[in-house]
Amino acid sequence: MTAHLENKNALSRQIILTAVFVLLICTPIVKTLLSPAMQLSKVENRKLSQAPAIRMDMKALKSFPTKFEAYFNDQFGFRDAFIYIHNYVNATMLKISPVPDVIMGKQNWLFLKTAPYGEEKQSGKQLEAMKLHLETKRDWLAQRGIQYVFMPAPNKQSIYPEYLPENQNKKKQNLQIDDLIHYLQGTSTFMILDVRPQLRNGKDDDFVYYLTDHHWNDKGAFIAYQGLINFIHQWFPEMTPLSLQRMNQYSDISNGMSLANMMGLSDVFQETVIKLEVPRPCSHKKPYTAMIPEWNKKAGSGIEKDWYRMRIPIQSICGNADRKAIVFRDSFFDMLVPFFSEHFREAVYIWTRFDYSILPELINRIRPDIVIEECVESEIFLSHIPGEFHKTKGFDLLISGDKLGAVQEFTNDLQINPDSPDSYNNLGFALLQIREFDRAIELFQAALKLNTGHQKAAENLKLAQKTLIEIDQRVAEINHKLSLDPNHPELNIQLGNLLQKRGKTATAIPYYQKALASDPENFSALNNLAAANAYLHQFDVAIRIYQKLTLIFPDQAEVYFNLACLYSLQNNIPDAIDNLKTAVRKGYDNYNLIKTDHDLKNIRKTSFYESLVKSFHSAMPVEDEARNRSK
Amino acid sequence: MVFSSIIFLFLFLPVTLLVYFPIGKRFRNLFLLAASLFFYAWGETFYVLIMLASICANYIFGLMIARYGNGTKAKLFLGFAVTANLGLLIVFKYTNFLIDNFNQIFASVLAAPIQIDPVHLPIGISFFTFQAMTYVVDVYRKEAPVQKNPVNIGLYISLFPQLIAGPIVRYNTVAGQIISRSINLKDFAEGIERFIFGLGKKVLIANSVAVAADKIFAIPSEHLTFSLAWMGILCYTLQIYFDFSGYSDMAIGLGRMFGFTFPENFNYPYLSKSIREFWKRWHISLSTWFRDYLYIPLGGNKLGTVRTYANLVTVFFLCGLWHGASWNFVIWGLLHGLFLVLERIGLEKLLDRIWSPIQYLYTLLVVMTCWVFFRAETLPDALSFIAAMFGFARGDGIIHHTGLYLDNEIWLTMIAGIIFSAPIFPFIKKTWSTITKNQTGISGNLTEGISAISGISSLILIFLASIMSLAAGAYNPFIYFRF
C-alpha cells in the first residue's frame, strides 16, 4: 500500500469519526431546543423538571446550576430513546434489572425489591409493639361490638421464592411474618389471618401472582378471599365463600404490568392473564361520597395530594346480605372487592392503614359488624406510628374515666415521640382532666413551640388559661364574701368545688365540712365531700358518706351508681352489683358510663353485668368527644 | 461539572466547540478562560473567586520573581508564593483535620475543644494549587519565561479539561502551547478517540464496579467474609484505576481537541514488577511533580542512604496527605514509602531473581492491600477489612455473601476491567497493522476499510453505551473529586 493511499484512508477515517461525534453531541441539543418541554414521564411515573428562571439574587444564582442540570437531565433530546435501549439491552440480553426497585427473576418473573424485608430479624421490642397494636385495635373494636381481622397480603417472594434469582438470599425469606406469628402464638390470643398456605397450595394449579406485577392475580385474590371468608365464618356462621367453579373465567394477553412498566418495557414483557368474574353479581360499587370531603382534607395540598385523589374511598352495596364491613386496605385488596362485596349489605373500602382518627365517625355512620385491615406483608411493621397504641389506650382510658391511666399512657407516648406536638397536646389534655393546670399549660406551650400552628394546642392552652383565671377570680370573690360570713354553707360548698376544680382536692374538704357543720343534711356538701374523698382514694370514708346520703335522699339514682363504683373498686362485687341494680331501678340511664366507666371494670366479668348490658335497648356508640378535642 | 454528565456532553462541550473554532485565534484563549471559569463555577458557584484570587496572586508573584532575577528578593518572592499557595491549600483542605488533631493531642490541657464548622473543599484545589506552584518555581528556575498576559496565566491555572482531576500539567510543558498552538483534523480525531475511551472506562467499567465496591465496603466488619473482602477490594482496585485513568484519558482527549498536548498520566500501572515501577506508571504527573519539586530539592538520593530513605518517606507521607486530610491517606502513603525503602534495601534485587509472575503478584498484593486504607472510612474499618482479606473474617456468609453482589453486570465489568488493565488495545493495533502491512491492492484497501469501519463503530458503540448508561441515571460520582 502506498503512503499516499494510507494517508487518504486515515484522513477519511478522521473525517467520519469527527463528523459522527459532532453530530452525536449536537443533535440532542437541537432537538431539545426545537421540541417543547415535557411535563410528565409515563415510564418513570413522575413529573419532569422544568427550566428554572434566572434571578439575580445570590441564593437563586447558587441553586441555579443544580436546578438547570435537573431540567436538562430530564429534557435533553432523545432521552427516552436512550433510556429505552439501555433498559432493553440490560433486561433482555444481560438479564440485569435496569432499575433498582425491580428484581429480574428466572423465566421473566419480575419481583419488587422490598428492603429490608428478609434481611434483618425483627427485634423482640418491635414484635411486642406490634402485638400491642393488634390487641389494642381488637379490644377497642370489641368494646363497640365489632370484630377485627388483620390480614397481611403475602409478598410475591413469599409465594414464589423458586423464581427469585440465585443470588437472592432465600434463607432469610418470610422472617418478619413468621416471627410475628410465632410471637403471637406464645404471648397473645390474637391470631392474624395468614393466607400463605392456601396460596402455596393453589399455585400448583395455576399462577396465583402476575409475572410482571407485584400483586396476586384474580386467581390468587380469589384464594385469599376464600381464606378471609372462612376465617370470619367463626363469628358469622352464615357466611361461606363462593366456589371457584361458579366464577366466569377467561384469559387474555396483556402488556407487562407495573414492574415491567417501571423498566419502561411493558411492550417487551407480555403475559397471559387469568380473569375471574362473579356471574350476575348482587353487589355494585361506587365512590363513598360521604367520606370524600374528609378524604380531601386528609390529602391536603402537599405532595401526597395526587396519591390520595387517585385512591378515594369506595363503597359496595349488596341488598341480599345483612352484615356490614369497613376495610382498611392497600392495592392488594382491589382484586378481592368483587368477591368480598357479595357477602355484605354495605362495605366501605378505605385505602389507608387502620386509622383511629376517622373510625369513630365511620362506625357511627355505617355501624359495621367487622373491620378488616389488609396490608402487604413487607409493610406490616412499617405502617404503625410509634407509640400509637399508647395514644389509643390513652383515649380509651379518658373516655372510660380512668384519667390517671390516660395520663400514664400519654406520658409513655411522649417518651416515644418527644418531637411530636400532638403527643404534648394529648398529655396536656389528659392532665387538664385531672386538673393539673400548671403542667398542662406547660405541655400546651411545648406543643406550640414545636408547631406554632397547632390549632388544638392553642385552643387548649387558651381554655386552660381562661379557666384558671376564672377560677382564681371566683376563689378571690368567695373568699372575700366568706370573710364577712364565714359559716355560710353555700359559699363554703362553692369554694370547695372551686378548689376541687383547681386540682386542690385536699384543701377543699374542710370547706364542705364547714358547710355541713351549719347544714348537716346538705346534699351537695355531702355528695361533693364523698367525691373528694373518693378522688383521694379514701374509699371507706366516701362509702360512709354516700350511705348516709341514701338514707337522707333514698331516690337519688346517681348516689347508688357512685356506691357501685366504689364497691367495685374495692372488689366488693355483691355490694357493687346490688347498688348498680338499685341505681338502674331508680332510673339511672347513663348506659354508656355503665359500659365504659373504668371504676366498674371489676364487675364487668360477671354474668349479672352481661345480662344488664343485654337489657340496654340500643348499643349506643361511644361519643368520642375527648378524642376529637384532643387530636 | 463532570465530563461524564449529560450537561457536559450535550450542552457545554458542543457549545464550547462551536464557538471556539469560528472565533479565530486572537480570542480563543480569552474564550477558553471564560468557558473554564464557567465550568468551575457551575459546580462550585462563588468558590470560583478563590481560583481567581489564586490566578491573580500567582500572576503577580511570577512578575516579581522574574523582575528580581536571581537575587535574594526573587527567592523571597518565591517563598511568598509557595507559602501563599500552600496556605490556601491548608486552609481549605486541612483546617478541620488540623483542629481535630490539635484537640485530641491537647485534650487534657484545653478547657474546651476548639470548634469550627466544616470548611468547604473547593473541587480540584489540590490540582490547581500544585499547577500554580510549578509556574512560579519554573519561572524562578528559569525553566520557563514569565507570562505577562494575565489571560494566559488564568488559562493555564483554570483550563477546564485538566482543572479538577489532572493530569497536573507543568507550566514549562504547556507554556508554548498556551501562547500559540495549531490544531488539525488528526489531532481532533485522536482527541475524540481518547475522550471516548476515557468516557467508556469511567462510565461502563468504573461506575459499575463502584456499586459493588461501595456496597461491600458498607458491610459491617462482623459480617465480612474472606471472599467478600477480596471481591470488594478487587472491585475497588478496578474502580480507582478506571475512574482516574478514564478521567485522565478524557482530559488528554479534550486537550487534544482544543490543541493542547498534555502529558500521559497512566501506563498500565497494575502490570508492574515492583512498587518502584508502579509509581512510574501510576498518576505519573503527580509522582514526577513530587520528584522534581520535593524529592530532588530535598536532596534526592545524592546525600547518602539514610537521607535517601528519609526523603522517600517524607515525600510519600506528604503524597498521602495530599490525597486527603485523614490519617488513612497518610498510612496509605507511608506504606508505599516503606515498600519503596524496602525495595531499595534489597527486596528489589531479591524479586529480580524470581519468576516474573510472582513479581507482578507481589506488586498487586501490596497495592491492593494499601487501597483498603485509601477506601475505608476509618482506621478500624480498614484494619478489620484487611483482617478479613487475610483469613480473619468474622462473617458467616448468610446475611452477606458474594452471590448478593455478583450479577451478570459485575461479572462482565470485572472481566472487562481485568482485561483492559493490560495493554490489550495497543497489542491488537500492532498485530493488526503487521497483518495488513503486507497486503496491497484491493485486499489491502478492503482490510483497511474494515479496520477503519470496525474501529469507528466500536468507538461509537462505546460512546452510545456510555450515554445510555448516563441517561439511565447510573451511578456517577468521580472518586478523584475528593482530592
Side-chain angles (χ1 to χ4, degrees):
Chain A
M1 209 190 308
T2 64
H4 172 70
L5 198 64
E6 216 170 277
N7 282 342
K8 211 176 137 191
N9 278 336
L11 186 68
S12 34
R13 187 180 171 279
Q14 287 154 11
I15 291 173
I16 296 171
L17 180 60
T18 304
V20 175
F21 181 76
V22 171
L23 203 71
L24 277 176
I25 61 171
C26 290
T27 38
I29 172 84
V30 174
K31 175 136 194 295
T32 316
L33 290 173
L34 292 181
S35 38
M38 304 233 291
Q39 296 295 321
L40 276 174
S41 164
K42 270 189 195 158
V43 179
E44 289 157 274
N45 196 19
R46 66 178 176 93
K47 276 185 185 161
L48 295 172
S49 305
Q50 303 299 313
I54 301 174
R55 280 188 294 129
M56 285 325 257
D57 62 274
M58 298 284 267
K59 214 176 140 195
L61 278 179
K62 209 168 171 186
S63 63
F64 182 80
T66 323
K67 285 180 181 164
F68 187 86
E69 211 162 327
Y71 149 74
F72 198 75
N73 284 341
D74 274 359
Q75 304 280 359
F76 72 94
F78 306 109
R79 176 177 184 270
D80 289 351
F82 284 133
I83 293 175
Y84 183 85
I85 301 169
H86 172 267
N87 292 358
Y88 182 85
V89 170
N90 274 282
T92 61
M93 290 153 87
L94 300 175
K95 302 287 177 196
I96 303 163
S97 164
V99 282
D101 287 342
V102 178
I103 299 168
M104 291 277 306
K106 294 173 192 165
Q107 297 172 33
N108 282 349
W109 276 72
L110 304 180
F111 293 90
L112 184 70
K113 198 170 267 179
T114 51
Y117 172 79
E119 284 195 13
E120 296 293 333
K121 210 169 158 71
Q122 290 299 328
S123 69
K125 211 172 158 190
Q126 252 177 309
L127 289 167
E128 175 64 16
M130 186 70 187
K131 185 192 90 174
L132 287 172
H133 279 306
L134 293 168
E135 287 178 345
T136 309
K137 286 186 259 196
R138 175 195 62 189
D139 298 344
W140 192 86
L141 288 166
Q143 277 176 15
R144 291 149 178 85
I146 303 165
Q147 302 296 345
Y148 169 62
V149 178
F150 181 67
M151 171 192 188
N155 286 331
K156 195 172 173 181
Q157 283 90 327
S158 298
I159 307 301
Y160 287 103
E162 63 273 26
Y163 289 109
L164 278 168
E166 286 303 330
N167 67 7
Q168 292 293 311
N169 221 344
K170 284 176 198 166
K171 211 168 171 180
K172 292 274 164 178
Q173 290 296 329
N174 298 344
L175 251 182
Q176 295 189 330
I177 198 165
D178 284 338
D179 272 349
L180 181 61
I181 291 172
H182 291 151
Y183 190 79
L184 289 176
Q185 276 170 354
T187 59
S188 173
T189 51
F190 189 82
M191 272 177 60
I192 67 170
L193 168 55
D194 180 15
V195 290
R196 290 174 306 165
Q198 290 99 311
L199 284 164
R200 284 179 188 140
N201 286 335
K203 75 176 183 176
D204 296 336
D205 307 325
D206 250 325
F207 290 147
V208 291
Y209 277 67
Y210 294 113
L211 267 75
T212 59
D213 195 287
H214 183 50
H215 298 93
W216 46 38
N217 58 17
D218 278 10
K219 199 71 187 286
F222 196 82
I223 292 171
Y225 143 78
Q226 287 183 317
L228 175 58
I229 298 294
N230 282 330
F231 189 79
I232 60 184
H233 178 81
Q234 59 177 309
W235 303 303
F236 312 134
E238 77 279 7
M239 268 191 211
T240 44
L242 303 166
S243 79
L244 183 62
Q245 285 72 36
R246 265 195 58 207
M247 298 298 115
N248 290 337
Q249 207 174 124
Y250 62 94
S251 61
D252 202 1
I253 297 214
S254 155
N255 268 353
M257 279 173 279
S258 62
L259 297 174
N261 202 41
M262 277 167 86
M263 304 194 289
L265 300 172
S266 55
D267 53 337
V268 180
F269 287 85
Q270 296 191 327
E271 68 169 304
T272 310
V273 170
I274 308 163
K275 291 268 175 209
L276 290 181
E277 265 174 15
V278 182
R280 294 180 309 282
C282 146
S283 65
H284 64 277
K285 64 173 191 182
K286 56 184 184 192
Y288 185 49
T289 41
M291 223 187 113
I292 294 209
E294 210 175 318
W295 192 253
N296 286 341
K297 211 168 133 196
K298 199 175 160 80
S301 54
I303 42 166
E304 287 190 319
K305 183 183 71 186
D306 293 338
W307 191 96
Y308 279 103
R309 293 269 156 86
M310 284 164 70
R311 291 164 176 80
I312 54 165
I314 52 172
Q315 177 191 32
S316 71
I317 309 279
C318 166
N320 300 340
D322 293 325
R323 303 282 181 181
K324 294 179 182 178
I326 292 171
V327 182
F328 290 111
R329 53 74 168 243
D330 57 24
S331 52
F332 276 81
F333 212 85
D334 263 350
M335 275 85 74
L336 263 72
V337 169
F339 316 122
F340 183 82
S341 301
E342 291 295 295
H343 299 271
F344 292 89
R345 185 146 62 91
E346 186 183 356
V348 171
Y349 306 91
I350 305 151
W351 199 312
T352 177
R353 284 305 297 272
F354 193 98
D355 188 343
Y356 286 108
S357 71
I358 56 176
L359 253 183
E361 210 176 325
L362 267 177
I363 290 175
N364 262 342
R365 224 182 279 147
I366 300 165
R367 305 190 174 241
D369 301 283
I370 187 165
V371 170
I372 289 158
E373 182 183 13
E374 174 276 314
C375 154
V376 66
E377 181 186 351
S378 50
E379 287 181 5
I380 54 175
F381 287 95
L382 303 177
S383 47
H384 293 285
I385 306 152
E388 190 192 31
F389 59 86
H390 287 305
K391 231 176 269 177
T392 315
K393 269 213 165 129
F395 288 125
D396 279 355
L397 293 174
L398 265 190
I399 293 160
S400 70
D402 181 3
K403 294 161 186 168
L404 286 171
V407 167
Q408 187 54 50
E409 290 298 335
F410 288 128
T411 307
N412 292 343
D413 168 51
L414 187 60
Q415 275 169 2
I416 298 171
N417 297 305
D419 298 323
S420 155
D422 275 343
S423 297
Y424 285 92
N425 179 47
N426 292 341
L427 179 57
F429 184 75
L431 285 169
L432 214 51
Q433 308 310 304
I434 57 165
R435 284 133 195 193
E436 293 248 10
F437 285 95
D438 302 322
R439 268 180 71 203
I441 286 174
E442 275 171 28
L443 284 157
F444 295 139
Q445 283 166 339
L448 287 167
K449 206 170 167 187
L450 288 167
N451 173 12
T452 47
H454 200 290
Q455 219 173 346
K456 289 291 171 199
E459 281 170 19
N460 287 334
L461 177 63
K462 220 166 144 188
L463 181 77
Q465 283 170 335
K466 199 177 146 209
T467 318
L468 204 53
I469 291 168
E470 278 173 7
I471 291 174
D472 288 348
Q473 272 175 354
R474 297 273 337 266
V475 168
E477 271 170 35
I478 294 175
N479 264 327
H480 176 69
K481 284 185 191 163
L482 272 177
S483 66
L484 305 173
D485 183 2
N487 293 323
H488 192 291
E490 270 316 307
L491 288 176
N492 275 306
I493 293 169
Q494 279 178 19
L495 186 57
N497 291 351
L498 283 170
L499 289 170
Q500 275 218 64
K501 250 187 164 177
R502 182 71 170 81
K504 295 177 179 170
T505 309
T507 54
I509 288 178
Y511 293 98
Y512 296 130
Q513 286 167 338
K514 222 173 188 178
L516 287 170
S518 47
D519 182 4
E521 293 194 354
N522 186 310
F523 178 81
S524 301
L526 283 166
N527 198 34
N528 295 350
L529 181 62
N533 276 298
Y535 186 83
L536 296 171
H537 286 227
Q538 301 292 328
F539 296 141
D540 289 333
V541 181
I543 288 174
R544 272 205 306 277
I545 300 168
Y546 280 130
Q547 279 173 338
K548 192 174 170 191
L549 265 174
T550 58
L551 298 175
I552 309 167
F553 303 97
D555 291 324
Q556 285 288 342
E558 206 170 314
V559 177
Y560 297 98
F561 177 78
N562 288 337
L563 269 171
C565 288
L566 288 171
Y567 283 123
S568 166
L569 281 172
Q570 288 191 321
N571 217 6
N572 178 352
I573 308 295
D575 281 340
I577 290 176
D578 227 31
N579 278 289
L580 190 57
K581 271 184 189 164
T582 316
V584 175
R585 203 179 57 234
K586 303 241 173 198
Y588 191 84
D589 61 357
N590 191 344
Y591 301 127
N592 266 331
L593 202 55
I594 293 177
K595 277 164 79 177
T596 57
D597 196 316
H598 173 71
D599 296 349
L600 290 176
K601 72 174 179 198
N602 286 334
I603 63 161
R604 289 216 180 86
K605 297 160 201 149
T606 60
S607 56
F608 159 75
Y609 176 77
E610 279 170 23
S611 61
L612 180 73
V613 170
K614 270 183 200 156
S615 72
F616 299 157
H617 298 297
S618 60
M620 294 204 300
V622 176
E623 286 304 319
D624 283 1
E625 193 214 350
R627 175 185 316 284
N628 291 336
R629 265 219 83 76
S630 172
K631 269 222 165 168
Chain B
M1 204 184 295
V2 296
F3 299 153
S4 56
S5 68
I6 296 295
I7 194 140
F8 178 82
L9 292 168
F10 290 148
L11 193 62
F12 184 85
L13 185 59
V15 170
T16 309
L17 284 173
L18 289 179
V19 177
Y20 180 76
F21 285 102
I23 55 169
K25 280 191 177 172
R26 266 184 67 196
F27 299 105
R28 278 186 187 161
N29 277 3
L30 190 63
F31 171 70
L32 217 47
L33 172 64
S36 298
L37 292 175
F38 180 83
F39 178 90
Y40 193 77
W42 189 256
E44 291 292 304
T45 53
F46 303 121
Y47 285 91
V48 73
L49 297 175
I50 289 166
M51 197 168 67
L52 280 171
S54 168
I55 290 170
C56 294
N58 284 295
Y59 171 71
I60 294 166
F61 286 136
L63 288 181
M64 288 304 173
I65 290 166
R67 189 172 155 194
Y68 293 108
N70 286 338
T72 348
K73 277 191 175 168
K75 214 171 209 166
L76 199 67
F77 275 108
L78 178 69
F80 276 152
V82 171
T83 315
N85 280 305
L86 286 178
L88 188 73
L89 194 58
I90 288 167
V91 166
F92 282 98
K93 192 165 177 172
Y94 301 104
T95 307
N96 294 112
F97 178 67
L98 289 173
I99 286 177
D100 287 350
N101 283 295
F102 181 84
N103 283 340
Q104 278 198 348
I105 295 166
F106 297 103
S108 53
V109 191
L110 288 173
I114 305 170
Q115 280 179 333
I116 55 158
D117 290 334
V119 178
H120 173 76
L121 175 64
I123 282 173
I125 192 166
S126 317
F127 288 94
F128 74 70
T129 46
F130 266 40
Q131 287 214 160
M133 272 152 71
T134 73
Y135 167 66
V136 286
V137 174
D138 286 356
V139 169
Y140 175 78
R141 287 179 181 173
K142 307 218 164 40
E143 285 174 11
V146 67
Q147 179 53 259
K148 290 189 175 137
N149 184 346
V151 171
N152 292 348
I153 281 300
L155 186 59
Y156 165 66
I157 291 176
S158 71
L159 189 57
F160 79 84
Q162 37 79 308
L163 171 59
I164 42 187
I168 300 168
V169 185
R170 287 191 219 178
Y171 184 65
N172 57 22
T173 318
V174 288
Q177 297 172 31
I178 285 178
I179 295 159
S180 131
R181 57 190 175 275
S182 63
I183 184 160
N184 54 38
L185 190 63
K186 182 169 173 283
D187 283 337
F188 195 83
E190 279 177 8
I192 292 173
E193 193 175 327
R194 194 67 189 268
F195 179 78
I196 292 177
F197 272 128
L199 186 68
K201 277 163 106 173
K202 159 71 186 155
V203 175
L204 301 178
I205 295 179
N207 280 358
S208 167
V209 284
V211 176
D214 282 356
K215 281 186 191 159
I216 293 173
F217 272 90
I219 296 174
S221 56
E222 65 268 21
H223 291 305
L224 270 179
T225 65
F226 175 79
S227 50
L228 267 175
W230 277 101
M231 183 187 160
I233 197 57
L234 175 63
C235 283
Y236 186 68
T237 302
L238 293 171
Q239 181 198 354
I240 193 162
Y241 170 63
F242 281 91
D243 190 290
F244 194 15
S245 75
Y247 195 92
S248 290
D249 286 340
M250 286 189 270
I252 292 168
L254 285 167
R256 284 296 282 281
M257 287 154 79
F258 289 95
F260 293 92
T261 308
F262 297 149
E264 288 299 327
N265 216 11
F266 290 89
N267 183 21
Y268 303 99
Y270 293 150
L271 276 186
S272 302
K273 289 181 179 176
S274 64
I275 297 301
R276 202 156 78 96
E277 191 184 348
F278 175 78
W279 278 102
K280 288 180 177 166
R281 292 166 171 272
W282 175 272
H283 206 174
I284 300 164
S285 65
L286 180 73
S287 52
T288 51
W289 193 99
F290 272 108
R291 184 193 66 202
D292 296 344
Y293 294 94
L294 185 62
Y295 182 67
I296 291 173
L298 282 175
N301 54 5
K302 300 275 190 292
L303 301 172
T305 10
V306 177
R307 195 53 201 277
T308 306
Y309 298 157
N311 287 346
L312 270 177
V313 171
T314 310
V315 166
F316 273 85
F317 167 80
L318 291 169
C319 174
L321 203 57
W322 179 87
H323 280 85
S326 130
W327 288 111
N328 267 16
F329 290 112
V330 173
I331 291 169
W332 170 81
L334 286 176
L335 278 174
H336 274 275
L338 175 73
F339 274 93
L340 286 169
V341 171
L342 288 177
E343 284 177 6
R344 275 180 182 262
I345 289 174
L347 186 62
E348 199 168 25
K349 275 185 191 146
L350 198 76
L351 285 165
D352 274 344
R353 274 184 252 146
I354 53 176
W355 194 39
S356 59
I358 306 273
Q359 299 176 35
Y360 291 120
L361 265 179
Y362 147 79
T363 313
L364 266 181
L365 194 68
V366 173
V367 169
M368 287 170 83
T369 311
C370 289
W371 281 146
V372 175
F373 290 98
F374 209 87
R375 175 62 182 80
E377 295 294 331
T378 64
L379 187 59
D381 285 352
L383 293 176
S384 44
F385 198 95
I386 289 175
M389 282 166 67
F390 292 99
F392 300 98
R394 288 186 283 156
D396 56 8
I398 294 175
I399 295 176
H400 297 282
H401 55 85
T402 45
L404 278 176
Y405 307 96
L406 270 175
D407 58 20
N408 293 349
E409 187 184 4
I410 292 293
W411 272 118
L412 265 177
T413 39
M414 282 204 306
I415 291 166
I418 291 167
I419 290 173
F420 293 123
S421 295
I424 293 294
F425 269 118
F427 176 77
I428 293 172
K429 262 191 172 170
K430 209 172 134 193
T431 323
W432 185 255
S433 66
T434 44
I435 294 169
T436 55
K437 202 165 75 184
N438 301 321
Q439 291 179 342
T440 51
I442 294 173
S443 83
N445 271 343
L446 203 67
T447 44
E448 182 72 8
I450 290 171
S451 90
I453 289 168
S454 55
I456 292 174
S457 331
S458 29
L459 278 172
I460 300 303
L461 270 180
I462 292 172
F463 186 66
L464 285 176
S466 306
I467 300 291
M468 284 169 201
S469 180
L470 288 177
Y475 194 81
N476 200 29
F478 264 113
I479 292 190
Y480 258 72
F481 268 25
R482 278 165 61 182
F483 311 118

